[in-house]
Amino acid sequence: MKIIGPFTQLLPMTNMPLKGALSDDTLPIIKNGGIVVDGGKIVETDTYTNLLKKYPKATLQTTNGNTVALPGFVDSHTHICWGGTRAMDFAMRNAGKTYMDIAREGGGIWSTVQNTRKATKEELVTNIVHRANYLLSQGVTTAEVKSGYGLSVEEELKMLRAIQISHHCTKLHLIPTCLAAHTLPKDFDGNHKEYLELMENELFPILKEENLAKRMDAFIEEEAFDAKVTIPYFEKAKELGFDITVHADQFSTGGSEVAVEVGAVSADHLEASTQKEVEMLANSDTVATALPGATIGLGVTFTPARALLDAGACLNIASDWNPGSAPQGLLLTQASILAAFQKLSNAEVLAGLTYRAAHALREDYIGKLEKDFKANFVTFNTDNYQEITYQQGRLLPSGVYVEGEKVMG
Ligand SMILES: [Zn+2]
């Protein structure tokens, strides 16, 4: 057993509501706090002085100077398993080329599919681990990773196996999601329905057998998959025990309605959501995930985060780190920019990066510093937690702890 601290401000993010708007005075702050850790889990948080009295035999792991500590961040939506680059897309888009122009000239998602297919499983592992460690250095201790650039049974399996291997090569905890329903591959001889049926029949059983994915995702959009073919696909996935998550309302509405109808754990993107979708999500158990990295990458509008919170939704913020629309991968920077544009409180941003993000992944023991939760937390060298969003990602963590061990800093 050990006591880690003292922390000038300790924000355990406990006893806060799962849904709705939050003002900063709802943030629990323990001044000169400490964390008791045993076997990688939290035993208790309290003032450092109280903990020294309560646990006289505990080992002490002391911090120096001003330090703010809070739960490790959770990035619930990433595509960090890919090969190649899409720098050309960014340049072409900014030169006024359309989605179709870019695809015709060899860019777009199909170019990433080709480059990911060309990469070996080992090369993909190298890429994932490199990006995972970069997220870890920003204080992210759990990240979801999607497949979706393989788009055949064999290639989706290669990606998900690479994600499974990577999990053992980084301290970042990875949660795998199957996104075989990303787009209809150009080389598939059949329609959308036939493609999804192939995945249900040939891919789903192997995913279960090898425990390769916890969640099933689909991109519901005019140029991807429509509600009619996706709902039966999701129903099949649910029968097998997969959690459902949806790329919803990115350019047009429809996806979030499917998400609520099938009981998805989260509906992600929502840049095109109107008040109708906002209220539907707020009245459901589906977490609304904002992806400001995609807004910044594409130069489009932000997810209506303020409206979602005011309507009572559970708002989560994730990076969507991917080669096409969100190549940045700076979660804290993105969340801080979203806060400036959507007028979010610090409490709303930090909740969206911790316990509300954990709920989007239905991971019950992360995102808060309370008894029996994993001792995943992050420290910053400052005496005021407000500096974290104020500096928009420039203030990097001074320490990153996973299951009570300091893995960075
Ligand atoms: Zn995405």
Side-chain angles (χ1 to χ4, degrees):
M1 186 176 286
K2 59 184 172 186
I3 303 173
I4 308 175
F7 305 110
T8 317
Q9 292 181 332
L10 171 61
L11 284 69
M13 304 302 286
T14 47
N15 302 315
M16 294 176 72
L18 190 56
K19 296 171 77 172
L22 296 168
S23 62
D24 285 350
D25 55 19
T26 60
L27 275 173
I29 300 176
I30 305 172
K31 286 184 185 156
N32 295 312
I35 305 172
V36 184
V37 176
D38 194 27
K41 291 181 181 167
I42 308 271
V43 177
E44 192 179 354
T45 57
D46 198 348
T47 62
Y48 194 67
T49 337
N50 283 351
L51 295 177
L52 291 178
K53 279 185 214 148
K54 284 191 224 174
Y55 302 93
K57 289 181 185 163
T59 314
L60 301 182
Q61 195 173 324
T62 51
T63 50
N64 296 317
N66 285 321
T67 311
V68 169
L70 65 161
F73 301 130
V74 177
D75 190 347
S76 76
H77 182 138
T78 87
H79 305 250
I80 59 172
C81 178
W82 85 80
T85 171
R86 299 261 289 281
M88 183 188 81
D89 290 26
F90 187 72
M92 286 179 75
R93 202 161 48 234
N94 294 348
K97 302 274 182 166
T98 64
Y99 181 90
M100 289 310 291
D101 292 334
I102 296 168
R104 222 176 292 121
E105 292 185 38
I109 187 173
W110 189 244
S111 75
T112 299
V113 172
Q114 286 172 305
N115 284 318
T116 305
R117 286 180 177 179
K118 254 184 248 163
T120 63
K121 187 170 68 186
E122 291 67 31
E123 285 166 344
L124 291 179
V125 170
T126 304
N127 292 349
I128 297 166
V129 172
H130 178 76
R131 292 168 191 142
N133 288 340
Y134 187 62
L135 288 173
L136 197 63
S137 73
Q138 298 171 49
V140 176
T141 50
T142 303
E144 181 253 25
V145 189
K146 299 175 195 296
S147 66
Y149 298 121
L151 306 183
S152 69
V153 173
E154 192 188 326
E155 291 293 332
E156 285 292 303
L157 285 172
K158 183 179 81 182
M159 288 187 75
L160 288 160
R161 286 175 181 142
I163 295 166
Q164 192 176 57
I165 294 167
S166 304
H167 184 71
H168 303 287
C169 309
T170 172
K171 296 288 182 187
L172 181 69
H173 184 67
L174 303 177
I175 309 270
T177 300
C178 175
L179 179 57
H182 200 177
T183 186
L184 183 69
K186 278 185 178 181
D187 58 353
F188 181 74
D189 187 17
N191 62 27
H192 289 78
K193 185 167 176 277
E194 288 160 343
Y195 172 76
L196 293 184
E197 282 169 357
L198 175 78
M199 294 299 148
E200 287 169 23
N201 296 331
E202 296 189 18
L203 181 63
F204 286 13
I206 306 173
L207 299 184
K208 291 307 289 182
E209 198 180 298
E210 295 185 28
N211 197 22
L212 288 171
K214 181 187 178 229
R215 297 143 45 86
M216 198 60 67
D217 193 350
F219 186 25
I220 300 183
E221 196 55 61
E222 279 152 20
E223 71 250 358
F225 294 89
D226 66 19
K228 196 163 159 265
V229 294
T230 314
I231 291 172
Y233 178 75
F234 279 153
E235 292 299 345
K236 183 72 194 281
K238 270 174 72 177
E239 275 170 33
L240 294 171
F242 293 104
D243 282 342
I244 305 300
T245 178
V246 185
H247 277 71
D249 303 357
Q250 186 180 12
F251 303 109
S252 61
T253 55
S256 56
E257 199 169 339
V258 173
V260 171
E261 188 181 328
V262 301
V265 294
S266 76
D268 302 19
H269 272 298
L270 312 174
E271 293 90 338
S273 298
T274 67
Q275 195 58 26
K276 180 187 155 208
E277 285 77 29
V278 164
E279 276 160 28
M280 195 168 50
L281 286 163
N283 291 318
S284 76
D285 292 327
T286 302
V287 174
T289 303
L291 303 171
T295 290
I296 296 164
L298 295 175
V300 296
T301 55
F302 284 97
T303 302
R306 181 72 266 148
L308 282 158
L309 285 162
D310 289 343
C314 178
L315 182 89
N316 158 39
I317 306 167
S319 74
D320 193 21
W321 193 2
N322 76 74
S325 58
Q328 190 188 52
L330 294 170
L331 180 60
L332 208 44
T333 298
Q334 295 162 2
S336 307
I337 293 171
L338 177 72
F341 277 87
Q342 285 286 311
K343 305 293 172 251
L344 307 184
S345 68
N346 275 298
E348 288 164 339
V349 173
L350 296 177
L353 294 172
T354 58
Y355 72 93
R356 289 179 172 181
H359 188 60
L361 294 173
R362 297 300 192 264
E363 288 285 311
D364 295 333
Y365 292 96
I366 55 168
K368 289 183 196 181
L369 302 180
E370 76 177 40
K371 188 170 164 49
D372 293 331
F373 275 53
K374 282 187 187 172
N376 293 354
F377 58 96
V378 55
T379 63
F380 292 88
N381 269 347
T382 174
D383 60 356
N384 174 7
Y385 76 90
Q386 293 174 318
E387 292 284 340
I388 298 170
T389 49
Y390 165 64
Q391 296 198 27
Q392 297 187 320
R394 187 168 60 86
L395 181 67
L396 284 166
S398 53
V400 180
Y401 296 74
V402 172
E403 297 185 32
E405 298 302 322
K406 194 172 190 182
V407 297
M408 271 195 191

